[in-house]
Amino acid sequence: MRFFLSPARPHLPSSTAAGMRGHARFGGLSLGIAAALLASASAASATPSEDFQKLLAEHFAWVLKENPGFARSIGVDTDPTAVGDSTLAAADRRARQEGVFLKRLDAIPDAGLSRSERTDKAILHRLLAEDIEENSFGQRTILFTSYSNPWQGMLYGAERTAFRTKADYANYLTRLEKFPATNQVWLDITAQALKGGYVQPCVTLVGFEKTITGVIQDDAAQSRFYTPFTRAKPLDASDAEWAALQARAKQVITGTLNPAYAKAAEFYRTRYAPNCAKAVGVSAQPGGDKYYAFRIRQLTTTNYTADQIHKIGLDEVARIRSEMDKVAKDAGYESREAFIKELRTNPKYYPKTAQELMAAAALQAKTIDGKMPGYFYKLPRLPYGLRAIPAETAEGTTTAYYGPGNPELGFAGNYYVNTSKLDQRPLWELPALTAHEAVPGHHMQIAIQQELETSKFRRYLASFTAFTEGWGLYAERVGIEMGIYDTPEKQMGRLSYEMWRACRLVVDTGIHSKGWTKEQAVKFMLDNTALSAANIDAEVNRYISWPGQALAYKLGELKIRELRARAEKALGTKFDLKGFHDAVIGQGAVPLDVLDAQIDDWIATEKTKT
């Protein structure tokens, strides 16, 4: 459910990503293309289109300069040892520059822009304005959630970097050697958060320290930071040079990284944890109500209020409960509750080993792979793999998530599965889980976005949770048509997953707007979903520590379903499901209002076909 192609919220501090708001996007960009963008920016402008293209190029070049990790992730590495500026002062500087970009953007009239350029303009305007607004909240000093944190985010440099030459390895180590300074910046910002009252609630922090200390390895060769050095040596390195790089890596890990991580753990243990917040809602923080309203608008790309979303959630919960009642009755159970009790407690539904769980997930993934051509015309070139979630984070995080790949840099996408607490990982969840995280969900949508023949801005920088997660949840529903829910248990598993996302609308707004306790939230989810107790606890912690993010899934899915119904009604026998799916994901991630207009255009075009 999260994407970590390169430094982006919430994996790195808000200050690191200020002005980027998760602009860690997809694909690869050659140095030649980057140079062409810069060259075009210097050309004289005479028309609105030329002015806009110049602004897009300058903005993109600025993003690359400010975010060297992101630049490397898309194949642009003009400063291979740069790590970027994580300070709040840098965040303020970036916000000011975004204000300059925004003023220039507003001066460009829509007249004279193509339809695609007008879409790009609207998206860029939204991103710039929201970045500036987000930087004004004290919550920008909150650098971690129960779901992710910057100390774990550091490890993605080992996993998401191309290592082809000895220089690549040497530059990687130079960047790691700079980590103590970055670590100190994070600790200073977190100290400021403590002082300002922007602190995560105590109930979400159980086991958090392990996500930091679990990275520390006395044997450097066992460190995740050392992973690149376990591969075959680069072709341009001699045996002696390779041995020297491996020795240097071990010294950096034991002499630089381990002490920095120990310092972070000590800070957390002695200063942060004793001062954790007792209230669970963000509304208890200074400016929390306004911040939550902003997060709703930012993450859902709608103008719904918390009360409106709460009501939508309750309505969806009632509808899905009725469907669950029918499945339970058809399966021979006297009630939904009786069937769910059976699903939660019968050991036959749970894997005995991590290998059994991974094998079942792999089989499910390949089964869906074989059905994909029936539902899409265009399939992605990039494959995806299956991995276990790292042990030091698994117990406190979600059931699964997706990590984007990069075809130019040689990385497949990955479907990550949680192999901890096996008695809480039912096999009947796997069809819906796999459809969401792999195909036709996140891998399908993101890998297709990597291949778009559209503006570099939209391909790399545009990302909207409501679209991406809305598509993931819609993809679970496509599984009905695919026939993957072929037992009552799997049907209940899908409904439980849909209910889970409906409950999020109720629980997230309940916690952050209506004063709910964690216990209320947990009870609501236990009463309405078939999720295990461990999954519910981790999920509620996530909603508490990451306000608003969980709202995007159901609202995005409802919009896509609304658009499909509109298209089916308007087109009748001309409706083409494969064409509809390609139209939805064929322009990349966009705000929901933009998607609405795009599908209207698609419907109009389809009507003209004979």
Side-chain angles (χ1 to χ4, degrees):
M1 296 176 187
R2 65 176 174 178
F3 312 125
F4 48 75
L5 181 58
S6 62
R9 291 191 182 96
H11 308 297
L12 291 185
S14 299
S15 56
T16 301
M20 313 305 136
R21 196 174 60 103
H23 289 1
R25 302 308 164 216
F26 321 114
L29 184 71
S30 69
L31 288 171
I33 293 174
L37 283 170
L38 289 170
S40 68
S42 64
S45 300
T47 67
S49 178
E50 289 171 338
D51 283 340
F52 180 64
Q53 291 302 323
K54 178 181 179 180
L55 176 57
L56 272 187
E58 292 180 1
H59 174 262
F60 194 86
W62 174 76
V63 169
L64 296 182
K65 181 179 178 181
E66 291 290 333
N67 287 261
F70 164 59
R72 276 188 291 273
S73 77
I74 62 170
V76 180
D77 201 5
T78 55
D79 192 353
T81 63
V83 295
D85 189 342
S86 300
T87 63
L88 295 181
D92 292 337
R93 173 177 54 78
R94 292 176 183 128
R96 288 192 296 270
Q97 179 57 49
E98 287 185 308
V100 174
F101 283 128
L102 188 58
K103 186 175 181 179
R104 288 175 57 190
L105 186 67
D106 285 340
I108 299 173
D110 284 353
L113 299 182
S114 67
R115 177 180 294 175
S116 180
E117 286 175 327
R118 289 196 296 272
T119 298
D120 283 348
K121 181 185 175 185
I123 292 174
L124 180 57
H125 190 284
R126 178 187 287 269
L127 293 177
L128 291 171
E130 289 179 351
D131 283 347
I132 294 167
E133 185 176 358
E134 185 167 24
N135 191 61
S136 70
F137 290 103
Q139 282 80 5
R140 69 178 182 155
T141 59
I142 300 176
L143 304 188
F144 56 85
T145 70
S146 66
Y147 196 68
S148 59
N149 65 70
W151 295 279
Q152 280 290 314
M154 272 293 297
L155 291 157
Y156 301 136
E159 299 170 356
R160 314 303 305 170
T161 300
F163 293 93
R164 296 192 177 101
T165 69
K166 61 185 178 183
D168 292 335
Y169 289 90
N171 291 330
Y172 165 70
L173 292 176
T174 298
R175 294 194 297 271
L176 293 184
E177 287 169 342
K178 297 179 180 180
F179 177 65
T182 299
N183 185 56
Q184 188 58 54
V185 168
W186 295 345
L187 298 183
D188 290 344
I189 293 173
T190 304
Q192 184 170 328
L194 283 167
K195 185 177 180 180
Y198 305 104
V199 186
Q200 291 288 14
C202 304
V203 294
T204 72
L205 297 175
V206 176
F208 181 82
E209 185 180 346
K210 184 181 177 182
T211 68
I212 303 174
T213 59
V215 178
I216 301 171
Q217 295 290 335
D218 293 334
D219 179 0
Q222 300 303 311
S223 171
R224 287 168 64 193
F225 284 110
Y226 190 77
T227 301
F229 297 89
T230 63
R231 305 167 188 165
K233 72 179 179 67
L235 294 177
D236 66 341
S238 67
D239 289 345
E241 288 172 326
W242 183 233
L245 283 169
Q246 290 176 314
R248 180 185 169 195
K250 291 177 181 178
Q251 177 56 41
V252 169
I253 290 167
T254 57
T256 301
L257 295 176
N258 283 356
Y261 272 74
K263 182 177 183 179
E266 177 69 11
F267 179 94
Y268 171 78
R269 184 167 49 251
T270 62
R271 295 186 58 184
Y272 196 93
N275 294 291
C276 58
K278 303 302 184 288
V280 295
V282 73
S283 57
Q285 296 175 2
D289 288 337
K290 290 183 178 179
Y291 178 68
Y292 188 54
F294 163 76
R295 290 289 284 171
I296 290 175
R297 178 162 38 86
Q298 178 192 49
L299 290 163
T300 71
T301 68
T302 73
N303 291 316
Y304 287 131
T305 65
D307 284 345
Q308 288 173 317
I309 293 172
H310 196 82
K311 175 64 165 54
I312 292 170
L314 289 173
D315 290 345
E316 281 292 283
V317 165
R319 176 187 64 80
I320 299 165
R321 186 188 294 124
S322 177
E323 293 187 30
M324 295 173 84
D325 287 339
K326 184 177 185 306
V327 169
K329 182 178 179 181
D330 290 347
Y333 290 85
E334 62 181 19
S335 67
R336 173 180 59 91
E337 291 82 0
F339 192 15
I340 289 175
K341 181 179 180 181
E342 165 71 8
L343 293 175
R344 281 180 174 155
T345 59
N346 193 326
K348 75 177 184 179
Y349 295 125
Y350 294 84
K352 303 297 187 297
T353 66
Q355 184 178 8
E356 180 186 353
L357 176 57
M358 295 295 278
L363 177 60
Q364 184 64 69
K366 292 308 296 180
T367 298
I368 299 176
D369 279 346
K371 298 175 181 291
M372 290 292 287
Y375 298 87
F376 300 87
Y377 287 114
K378 182 174 181 177
L379 298 173
R381 293 184 298 111
L382 189 72
Y384 65 96
L386 179 69
R387 292 186 182 180
I389 292 175
E392 67 266 20
T393 63
E395 291 188 9
T397 196
T398 190
T399 309
Y401 53 76
Y402 174 71
N406 185 305
E408 282 79 6
L409 296 182
F411 301 132
N414 277 294
Y415 167 27
Y416 286 83
V417 174
N418 198 326
T419 58
S420 71
K421 301 178 181 177
L422 291 174
D423 62 346
Q424 304 286 301
R425 312 293 177 200
L427 298 173
W428 43 260
E429 286 184 348
L430 281 176
L433 185 67
T434 305
H436 185 111
E437 302 298 345
V439 292
H442 288 328
H443 176 71
M444 178 68 187
Q445 183 259 311
I446 292 169
I448 287 293
Q449 182 163 333
Q450 293 174 318
E451 300 177 19
L452 290 182
E453 294 181 3
T454 185
S455 66
K456 296 295 185 285
F457 161 74
R458 185 144 10 132
R459 183 176 175 189
Y460 298 113
L461 302 186
S463 179
F464 297 93
T465 304
F467 179 93
T468 302
E469 296 297 355
W471 174 261
L473 183 49
Y474 172 81
E476 295 177 27
R477 196 170 189 85
V478 174
I480 299 174
E481 294 163 297
M482 289 181 166
I484 65 175
Y485 308 112
D486 54 2
T487 68
E489 291 82 3
K490 293 175 184 178
Q491 292 172 31
M492 188 63 83
R494 185 199 69 79
L495 286 169
S496 177
Y497 265 38
E498 188 180 6
M499 179 69 90
W500 170 21
R501 279 42 169 264
C503 286
R504 285 175 169 177
L505 302 184
V506 179
V507 168
D508 196 290
T509 53
I511 290 168
H512 297 296
S513 179
K514 296 181 177 297
W516 281 28
T517 64
K518 178 180 177 180
E519 290 72 24
Q520 281 178 278
V522 167
K523 184 178 186 303
F524 188 86
M525 295 191 72
L526 281 171
D527 289 346
N528 289 289
T529 76
L531 295 175
S532 66
N535 284 346
I536 288 173
D537 186 73
E539 284 295 313
V540 172
N541 285 341
R542 169 183 168 183
Y543 311 151
I544 291 170
S545 67
W546 200 2
Q549 193 270 349
L551 303 176
Y553 297 65
K554 194 61 175 155
L555 295 178
E557 180 241 3
L558 288 173
K559 169 55 72 173
I560 295 172
R561 288 175 58 188
E562 171 197 327
L563 294 176
R564 175 169 168 176
R566 183 191 305 173
E568 289 174 337
K569 181 178 180 180
L571 295 173
T573 57
K574 284 188 173 183
F575 177 76
D576 178 358
L577 180 59
K578 294 165 69 172
F580 173 76
H581 287 159
D582 285 0
V584 171
I585 63 176
Q587 297 298 315
V590 296
L592 297 184
D593 58 341
V594 173
L595 177 63
D596 192 291
Q598 287 176 340
I599 296 303
D600 277 346
D601 288 344
W602 178 77
I603 291 171
T605 299
E606 291 294 296
K607 284 182 175 180
T608 66
K609 294 181 178 179
T610 58

